[in-house]
Amino acid sequence: MAQGRIYLGTKRYSSWSLRGWLAVKLAGLDVEEVMIALAGGSTPAVKAASPSGFVPYLEHDGNRIWDSLAIGEYCAELVPSLWPASREDRAHARAVAAEMHSGFRELRINMPMSLFRQGKGAGRTEAVLADIARIESVWGETLTRSGGPYLNGAVPGVADAMYAPVVFRFMTYAPELRLSSQHYCEAMLSHPLMRAWQAAAALEPESWYIPSMESAIP
Ligand SMILES: N[C@@H](CCC(=O)N[C@@H](CS)C(=O)NCC(=O)O)C(=O)O
């Protein structure tokens, strides 16, 4: 029997859900998935299910954890290898994960995660390009430290979970990226968990689609 449940929003769109789900899966937690179709604003079913009114929300072993980064930390307490082994590298990875959690607002607004949208070339405002430049610099520095192919090293960890939606955004909007970023995106996109998320998203019913998130962008 599952040891709990994770509440998630529509997989095509819910970038925060992807982060929490990846952390839970990377930690190997046995939890049931409760899917909620997002309304594209405030979703009554999300408000009813989650203490914060946001997904992801994890209930596990009597614990209630809302917020993607808190879920990542919880999972890493159970499986410490979700952060790097050395204190210095862990400090760096935590800063990197926190920067994603609290920042890159322009990228998030102008290149929203929408897995199957025709978005190539869209969203490239100056502020978005500045966010992307910073992300590439963070990835470059972190991959050099970790030895790659993931920010966490040989296997993905919390920092990778935090940036996973950025990888999907880059897949959709296809901004120019340096070679090392392209390699990181390829490693992430070919990871079985990222593939599984994408496959599940492809099976979501059309009634869950949010038209403004699906529209092709000229
Ligand atoms: N800081 C939160 C943000 C969570 C968040 O904004 N989730 C969105 C879905 S991606 C949500 O639940 N929105 C409310 C709604 O759509 O009703 C986290 O890291 O988990």
Side-chain angles (χ1 to χ4, degrees):
M1 206 178 86
Q3 295 165 304
R5 57 181 66 159
I6 184 164
Y7 293 83
L8 304 168
T10 313
K11 289 185 174 174
R12 306 170 78 84
Y13 313 128
S14 187
S15 55
W16 296 108
S17 296
L18 168 60
R19 295 174 170 107
W21 180 87
L22 273 175
V24 159
K25 289 287 175 184
L26 288 167
L29 302 195
D30 178 19
V31 293
E32 175 201 348
E33 282 179 32
V34 182
M35 290 304 306
I36 300 176
L38 296 183
S42 181
T43 312
V46 172
K47 298 279 167 284
S50 160
S52 63
F54 293 97
V55 282
Y57 166 50
L58 174 67
E59 292 173 348
H60 180 258
D61 204 17
N63 301 299
R64 306 189 320 146
I65 309 109
W66 54 94
D67 193 283
S68 58
L69 191 51
I71 292 171
E73 289 287 5
Y74 177 78
C75 291
E77 283 204 30
L78 299 170
V79 178
S81 58
L82 291 185
W83 289 121
S86 83
R87 187 161 59 90
E88 292 78 8
D89 287 344
R90 241 184 354 265
H92 176 85
R94 282 205 163 98
V96 160
E99 186 172 353
M100 179 70 246
H101 191 246
S102 61
F104 304 123
R105 195 165 169 273
E106 292 295 329
L107 174 85
R108 291 201 262 118
I109 291 170
N110 292 291
M111 293 186 175
M113 191 173 102
S114 180
L115 294 190
F116 306 105
R117 183 181 214 173
Q118 302 301 312
K120 194 170 176 190
R124 296 180 192 180
T125 67
E126 221 169 282
V128 170
L129 293 177
D131 274 357
I132 292 174
R134 173 63 192 155
I135 287 170
E136 291 205 88
S137 150
V138 166
W139 284 1
E141 187 188 353
T142 310
L143 290 165
T144 301
R145 286 183 86 111
S146 76
Y150 302 106
L151 301 175
N152 191 55
V155 290
V158 178
D160 297 285
M162 292 307 291
Y163 283 86
V166 172
V167 171
F168 277 143
R169 287 175 161 105
F170 288 172
M171 177 189 78
T172 299
Y173 300 99
E176 309 292 335
L177 295 177
R178 56 168 96 152
L179 201 58
S180 62
S181 303
Q182 290 174 31
H183 288 157
Y184 176 62
C185 288
E186 282 160 19
M188 286 291 283
L189 289 171
S190 57
H191 191 280
L193 289 175
M194 291 286 276
R195 285 179 186 263
W197 179 272
Q198 217 176 345
L203 295 176
E204 288 174 337
E206 257 182 65
S207 59
W208 290 13
Y209 295 3
I210 299 171
S212 62
M213 293 287 283
E214 295 294 337
S215 57
I217 308 173

